[in-house]
Amino acid sequence: MTNQSTLNEKRSQEEYVIKRHVPQINWVKTNTDGSVRQQGKQAACAGVFRDMHGRWVLGFVYEKSASVIMSKFWGVATALQMAWHSGIPKLTVESDSKIAFESLENPFFCI
């Protein structure tokens, strides 16, 4: 049987390759996320917009009371709204929340 300290040592030795996926020419890419602190249900969502060269274009951070799913949806929805109001015509949205995209694609989907 493996104890907890051995598991932690194995986890700390793992390596991950992180690669930024560059948007196409004249496109802007936004990465969004949401999270919740369980004590008090304080939620936050954030996003960053970058051009094809990786330069910062826009960003946002908001806090309010919400569930984890709602905070992730809120992040994607806020990014879309900011892009629209900022006149960004070509946008790639990246998020770790499949349910946020499903809710936007299906008008009958309930969160």
Side-chain angles (χ1 to χ4, degrees), residues 34-51:
S35 64
V36 173
R37 181 183 303 173
Q38 291 302 324
Q39 300 101 352
K41 294 243 179 193
Q42 185 62 33
C45 71
V48 62
F49 294 75
R50 294 188 182 274
D51 67 12

Side-chain angles (χ1 to χ4, degrees), residues 83-95:
W84 177 265
H85 290 294
S86 299
I88 297 172
K90 297 178 180 180
L91 180 70
T92 299
V93 179
E94 194 169 85
S95 171

Side-chain angles (χ1 to χ4, degrees), residues 48-62:
V48 62
F49 294 75
R50 294 188 182 274
D51 67 12
M52 64 185 189
H53 302 291
R55 294 181 297 229
W56 184 87
V57 176
L58 288 171
F60 66 90
V61 176
Y62 293 110

Side-chain angles (χ1 to χ4, degrees), residues 1-40:
M1 181 175 251
T2 307
N3 64 30
Q4 188 62 35
S5 64
T6 305
L7 287 175
N8 289 337
E9 288 174 18
K10 286 182 181 179
R11 285 185 192 141
S12 65
Q13 294 175 2
E14 293 178 13
E15 292 184 20
Y16 298 94
V17 176
I18 299 173
K19 181 180 178 187
R20 186 176 87 80
H21 298 282
V22 179
Q24 297 176 2
I25 295 173
N26 297 323
W27 283 67
V28 172
K29 179 180 172 185
T30 183
N31 296 84
T32 68
D33 203 1
S35 64
V36 173
R37 181 183 303 173
Q38 291 302 324
Q39 300 101 352

